[in-house]
Amino acid sequence: MAHHRVILIAGAGPVGLAAAVELTRRGLPVRIIDAGEGPTPPEQSRALGTLPTTLAILAASGVSARLLAEGARITGADVARDGHRLFSIEVSAARTPTPFILSLPQGRTERIMVEWLAAHGVGVEWNLALEDIVDTHKPRAILANGETVAARAVVGCDGVHSRVREAVGIPWRGEGYPGVFSLADVRFSAPIDPTRAKVNIRSGIGGSALLPFGPHAGRYIGLGGDPEALYNGVSGIEAVTWTSRFSVAFRRAERMAKGRVFLAGDAAHVHSPVGGRGMNLGIWDAATLAFLLAEGRETEYETKRLPVVDEVLKVTRQMTDMVSRPGGPMLWLLPFAMPLVTRVPTVARRIAERALALDLPQPEWLAADYGMNRDAG
């Protein structure tokens, strides 16, 4: 049995890697394992959008500087119905040093953090799964190679089918969602505007969006099981590099901690991709836990994170209902209301900050960059 008393992180996606980065920069020894062979393949964009709070969190380590150097900055969205422009949403009014969504494929985000960890003496142990956990208060993790690790804490960042969550007997609660989403990553022959997302509400069949991640590449995402339907009739597409179909659910773990075993990211909560909250919410979990562990306050983790998770699930469900039911009265009012309300500076700022999830409680250790509620989150 290893007796290093390290913090063991199971799962080396963006959330687990962020946990390792934050714990390492705070001087806490970590070990990070993953059942997979390596980071997300470069051709699969997966989680694209990094929000301002995430950039603020990762700034202290220097990771944000590298993300900013490579990503595209989406400063607004143009909303149309059946191809006819309705209105635009701008996020430049938000009170943050980074008033945009940073668009960068997940595989590149992961590799930047893997490289940072390697430079700080932490290597990801790929092809190594966690099999079981014994004693949640003095956790001993049993690994697939037969090793037993006596850890100060175990952090489950191992996704929706989390072995950590199952091993300690924490149940899911919530429900599935009707319908199927699809996405398609495409490459354009001519440049597109990498600063603008394009949203199209199609009468009777829901909405779709184009999220750029550079001047020649973007992701189409929307309701329906046929990715090809998302880009049919669009000129200038020279290649489709990746497609996917998936169902969504709105669920969370009944608890996010049991003894000294903690859950973060998809291991603790899942919801639809509408609003781009998923990866970011998980990174906020991880960073909050790292801060609390460094302060000896980890027993506060659940009370700080569960209210934020519940709020994100509620708001994301509302947004998903809106785009999946395009005939509702709200959609018909928006073209008239939005141009009027966005002329009021305080309203425009609130819209921008909600779009960037800055209306949620900000982590207590961050500098007062936002001038908003900074309850622990």
Side-chain angles (χ1 to χ4, degrees):
M1 179 187 293
H3 290 278
H4 304 300
R5 305 303 293 175
V6 298
I7 297 169
L8 178 68
I9 302 166
V15 176
L17 291 168
V21 167
E22 285 294 288
L23 288 163
T24 299
R25 80 167 181 88
R26 293 180 183 279
L28 300 179
V30 304
R31 186 172 173 186
I32 180 168
I33 65 173
D34 193 283
E37 297 180 355
T40 298
E43 69 275 10
Q44 298 180 12
S45 63
R46 296 192 180 270
L48 271 177
T50 301
L51 296 173
T53 300
T54 304
L55 292 171
I57 285 169
L58 296 175
S61 63
V63 166
S64 285
R66 293 196 58 190
L67 297 175
L68 288 164
E70 296 193 25
R73 304 182 183 197
I74 299 176
T75 59
D78 301 319
V79 181
R81 182 171 61 226
D82 297 325
H84 300 289
R85 184 180 178 277
L86 296 178
F87 57 87
S88 294
I89 297 173
E90 308 297 334
V91 296
S92 58
R95 290 168 292 181
T96 169
T98 54
F100 49 79
I101 298 171
L102 188 74
S103 180
L104 187 66
Q106 178 176 322
R108 190 63 203 131
T109 299
E110 291 175 356
R111 284 168 176 80
I112 286 171
M113 288 194 277
V114 168
E115 291 162 8
W116 187 96
L117 288 168
H120 290 78
V122 179
V124 179
E125 298 176 60
W126 302 106
N127 298 300
L128 182 57
L130 180 144
E131 289 198 343
D132 205 356
I133 296 173
V134 179
D135 188 351
T136 58
H137 291 279
K138 293 183 178 180
R140 287 176 288 133
I142 300 171
L143 308 185
N145 63 0
E147 182 183 2
T148 299
V149 179
R152 173 184 168 184
V154 176
V155 187
C157 306
D158 49 345
V160 64
H161 302 296
S162 171
R163 178 59 193 142
V164 172
R165 189 185 66 244
E166 293 174 352
V168 298
I170 298 177
W172 274 128
R173 74 179 199 188
E175 60 186 3
Y177 193 81
V180 177
F181 281 79
S182 60
L183 63 83
D185 287 353
V186 303
R187 190 167 63 244
F188 295 95
S189 55
I192 61 171
D193 185 350
T195 70
R196 307 299 298 178
K198 304 289 186 181
V199 179
N200 186 31
I201 308 297
R202 295 173 295 171
S203 296
I205 55 173
S208 64
L210 170 64
L211 307 174
F213 49 94
H216 287 275
R219 168 195 288 173
Y220 283 99
I221 184 168
L223 290 161
D226 181 9
E228 188 174 346
L230 297 172
Y231 57 85
N232 263 344
V234 178
S235 60
I237 295 177
E238 68 176 20
V240 178
T241 57
W242 181 55
T243 64
S244 180
R245 302 171 182 83
F246 56 95
S247 299
V248 301
F250 291 85
R251 295 191 176 99
R252 74 160 171 85
E254 191 172 87
R255 304 181 59 182
M256 291 181 68
K258 192 169 185 179
R260 302 189 66 79
V261 179
F262 305 91
L263 302 177
D266 287 355
H269 42 75
V270 292
H271 52 77
S272 91
V274 177
R277 302 290 191 263
M279 176 184 72
N280 293 276
L281 184 61
I283 290 175
W284 305 343
D285 293 340
T288 300
L289 179 59
F291 165 72
L292 293 173
L293 282 164
E295 295 285 310
R297 295 166 49 194
E298 57 269 25
T299 56
E300 301 175 28
Y301 178 63
E302 275 191 314
T303 60
K304 292 185 179 298
R305 293 311 299 158
L306 282 177
V308 181
V309 168
D310 286 339
E311 178 64 17
V312 170
L313 287 174
K314 182 182 77 172
V315 171
T316 305
R317 177 64 184 259
Q318 291 170 348
M319 291 190 290
T320 305
D321 287 343
M322 183 179 293
V323 300
S324 64
R325 298 167 186 170
M330 182 62 71
L331 180 62
W332 293 99
L333 289 173
L334 284 176
F336 306 101
M338 287 296 289
L340 293 175
V341 299
T342 53
R343 293 177 188 171
V344 181
T346 55
V347 176
R349 186 173 67 236
R350 287 176 186 169
I351 292 171
E353 290 172 354
R354 182 152 191 165
L356 297 177
L358 291 168
D359 58 333
L360 294 171
Q362 299 299 296
E364 66 181 78
W365 68 91
L366 292 181
D369 289 332
Y370 304 124
M372 296 185 298
N373 179 1
R374 284 176 297 279
D375 294 336

